[in-house]
Amino acid sequence: MSAHPPKKDHRRAVTATVVGNFIESFDWLGYGLFAPLFAAQFFPSDNALTSLLGVFAVLGVGVLMRPLGGVLLGRYADRRGRRPALMLAVSLMAGGSLLIGLTPGHAQIGMLAPVLLLLARMAQGISHGGEWPAATTYLMEVAPEHRKSTYGSLFSLTTCAGAFTASLLGAVLTAALGPATMADWGWRVPFLVGGMLGLVLLMLRSRLAETEVFEREVRTRRDRGSLRQVLSTHRRQVLLAVLLVAGSGAVGGTWPSVVPALGGRLAPPGTMLWAVVTATALMMVLNVPIGLLADRIGATRLLVGAGVLFSVTGSVSYLTMTGTFTSLLFAYGSGVVYLVCVTSVLPKLLTEIFPAQNRALGVGLPNAVTGAVLGAVGPAAATYAAEHDADGWFVAGVVAAVLLSIPATLLARRTPRPATPALDRSGLTLVR
C-alpha cells in the first residue's frame, strides 16, 4: 500500500477489515441464541437438556479451536501477508455459517448431521481465533499514528453491531414466525444471512492492497512468522500480551453469556433480551467517542480507568442483580462498557510490542489462548458458583483478571518498540 493512498481506497480498506468482526460477532452470538431451537434436530433425544448439551459441547469445541486459529492464521499473516490471512479467515467463517444453515437434520442424514455441525464450528473457531489478529495487524499498519485507538474502536463498533443485529433479528423472526416455525426452519435464516454476508466481504477483501509495512519490512525476511522466535526471543512480550488480554478474556468469556442466563431466570420473558439490545445500541453510539478519548488522553490511562471502573460497577451490579430492566441493563452494561474500552486500545498496545515480522502471530497466540481458556472455564465457574451461593468468588476471579491488565499496561508503556534489523538473515535485502 502506498504511503498516501487515496482517501476512498483507504476507507474501503478500513471497512473491509473491520466488518469481519461484525460477521464473527453475528455468527457467534447467533449460535448461542438459536441453539435451543435446533438442538433436537442435530442431537435428537427424549430429554431436551441432553440435546442442548450436545449443541453446547460443539460450541465448546469451537472455543477450543481458537488458539489453533490464532497460531495458524497469525503465522499465515506474517508469512504470506495480511490480506491473504483476512481472506482465509472470512472464508472459513462464511463456509461454516452456510454449512450450518444448509445441513439437514439427524432425521434426514443420521449421524452425519452432528458431524457436519462439528466441522462447521471447528472452521468457525479457527476463523474466530485468526480473524482478529490478522485484522488488527492490518488496521494498525495502515492507521495514522495519532488515531490508532480511534481505528481500534471500529472493532468494538462492528462487534457490538454484530451482536445487536443478531439479537434484534432473533426477536423479529420469533415475533414474525412464531416458536414452532422457528424451531422447524426459521433458525436457519441467521446462519444463511451470515454466510452470504461473509461471501460479500470476501469479494471486498480480495480487492485489498497489502500493507506497506509488510511489503517493506516483512516479505523478504526468512524468520517471518516464526513460532520459535515468538516463544523464545519475545517471551516477555508474550507474557505481557497474556496479561493485557486477561481482563477482556475473563469479561468477554463470561458477561455476554452468564449475565443473560442469570437475568433470564430472574426477569419476565423478553426483559433480558431487550436489556442486551439496549446496552449494545448505546455502546454502538459511544464506541468511536471512546476511541477518540483514548487517542487524546492515552491508551494506558483509558485502560486503567476502565479496569478500576468495572471492578466496582461490575461487582456491585452482578451481586445485586434483580429482575428489573434497570438492574439487568446496569449489570450487562457494566461489562459491555469495559469491553468497548479495552478492545478500542488493545490493538494499539499489542501491535506495538511485537516486531513486524512476527506481529500477527505475536498478537494472535496469547489472545486466542487466553480467550479460549477463560471463555471455556468462565461460564462453568459462574454456574458452579451460582449453584453453591458463591457468586462473590466468581466475581472476585473476574475482577482479579481485570486488575492484572493494569500493571501489564504500565509495563507495556515502558517496553521499547522492537526494532526490525536492517538486513534479513541472507544479508541481501534492506528492509528498513
Side-chain angles (χ1 to χ4, degrees):
M1 183 172 289
S2 63
H4 301 285
K7 289 185 177 181
K8 183 178 180 181
D9 292 342
H10 183 76
R11 288 195 297 267
R12 185 184 296 119
V14 171
T15 300
T17 304
V18 301
V19 168
N21 265 41
F22 173 92
I23 298 175
E24 298 273 355
S25 176
F26 178 90
D27 283 334
W28 205 264
L29 180 61
Y31 187 94
L33 288 175
F34 298 104
L37 298 178
F38 63 79
Q41 295 201 24
F42 287 94
F43 295 91
S45 172
D46 295 334
N47 188 330
L49 178 60
T50 302
S51 299
L52 188 59
L53 287 175
V55 172
F56 280 130
V58 173
L59 174 63
V61 171
V63 172
L64 294 176
M65 295 302 290
R66 290 183 191 177
L68 181 60
V71 173
L72 292 180
L73 291 182
R75 188 172 187 272
Y76 190 69
D78 286 331
R79 292 204 49 90
R80 297 298 180 89
R82 318 318 190 193
R83 172 182 170 274
L86 287 171
M87 292 179 64
L88 180 57
V90 74
S91 298
L92 290 171
M93 180 56 70
S97 294
L98 290 173
L99 185 58
I100 295 174
L102 296 174
T103 296
H106 188 278
Q108 288 76 40
I109 59 175
M111 286 302 298
L112 185 59
V115 170
L116 291 176
L117 178 65
L118 177 63
L119 291 176
R121 291 307 291 177
M122 290 175 67
Q124 291 186 319
I126 293 174
S127 172
H128 201 274
E131 162 72 23
W132 193 79
T136 292
T137 302
Y138 187 97
L139 193 63
M140 291 299 102
E141 289 181 352
V142 303
E145 183 64 33
H146 65 292
R147 284 288 179 261
K148 287 188 181 292
S149 293
T150 303
Y151 276 55
S153 70
L154 299 177
F155 284 123
S156 301
L157 175 62
T158 50
T159 299
C160 287
F164 174 80
T165 305
S167 57
L168 185 61
L169 180 60
V172 171
L173 284 174
T174 301
L177 299 178
T181 303
M182 283 296 295
D184 184 24
W185 58 267
W187 62 268
R188 296 182 182 273
V189 174
F191 294 103
L192 296 176
V193 170
M196 296 304 296
L197 290 174
L199 294 179
V200 172
L201 181 58
L202 178 62
M203 289 189 290
L204 292 176
R205 287 184 170 180
S206 68
R207 301 166 65 181
L208 286 176
E210 189 54 79
T211 71
E212 182 186 356
V213 172
F214 182 83
E215 297 288 5
R216 185 182 68 242
E217 301 181 12
V218 180
R219 187 177 291 282
T220 57
R221 292 183 60 89
R222 292 183 178 180
D223 61 341
R224 65 188 187 278
S226 170
L227 181 60
R228 178 181 298 179
Q229 190 176 92
V230 168
L231 295 177
S232 57
T233 307
H234 306 303
R235 57 182 177 272
R236 181 176 184 271
Q237 286 92 330
V238 170
L239 177 59
L240 276 178
V242 168
L243 295 177
L244 281 170
V245 302
S248 61
V251 179
T254 57
W255 234 250
S257 57
V258 172
V259 173
L262 179 59
R265 293 200 298 264
L266 297 173
T271 304
M272 186 69 240
L273 179 60
W274 285 112
V276 172
V277 171
T278 303
T280 308
L282 289 173
M283 286 303 102
M284 286 171 59
V285 176
L286 295 176
N287 266 287
V288 174
I290 287 174
L292 289 168
L293 177 64
D295 281 323
R296 184 174 180 84
I297 68 174
T300 299
R301 290 181 179 177
L302 184 74
L303 189 56
V304 171
V308 173
L309 179 64
F310 173 80
S311 298
V312 177
T313 60
S315 301
V316 172
S317 63
Y318 188 88
L319 296 175
T320 61
M321 195 189 321
T322 64
T324 67
F325 175 82
T326 302
S327 176
L328 297 176
L329 180 62
F330 182 40
Y332 189 80
S334 64
V336 173
V337 170
Y338 173 76
L339 289 174
V340 166
C341 292
V342 173
T343 52
S344 294
V345 300
L346 274 182
K348 171 182 168 63
L349 294 173
L350 291 174
T351 54
E352 286 182 349
I353 62 177
F354 290 100
Q357 72 271 16
N358 290 309
R359 183 167 290 151
L361 179 58
V363 171
L365 175 61
N367 179 70
V369 170
T370 306
V373 171
L374 295 177
V377 172
T383 302
Y384 180 85
E387 291 177 352
H388 293 81
D389 295 323
D391 288 328
W393 288 104
F394 163 70
V395 173
V398 174
V399 169
V402 169
L403 294 178
L404 278 176
S405 64
I406 293 179
T409 305
L410 301 175
L411 289 173
R413 186 176 62 177
R414 296 184 177 90
T415 300
R417 293 190 182 188
T420 302
L423 299 175
D424 70 2
R425 291 183 179 181
S426 69
L428 297 176
T429 306
L430 184 66
V431 295
R432 188 181 280 277

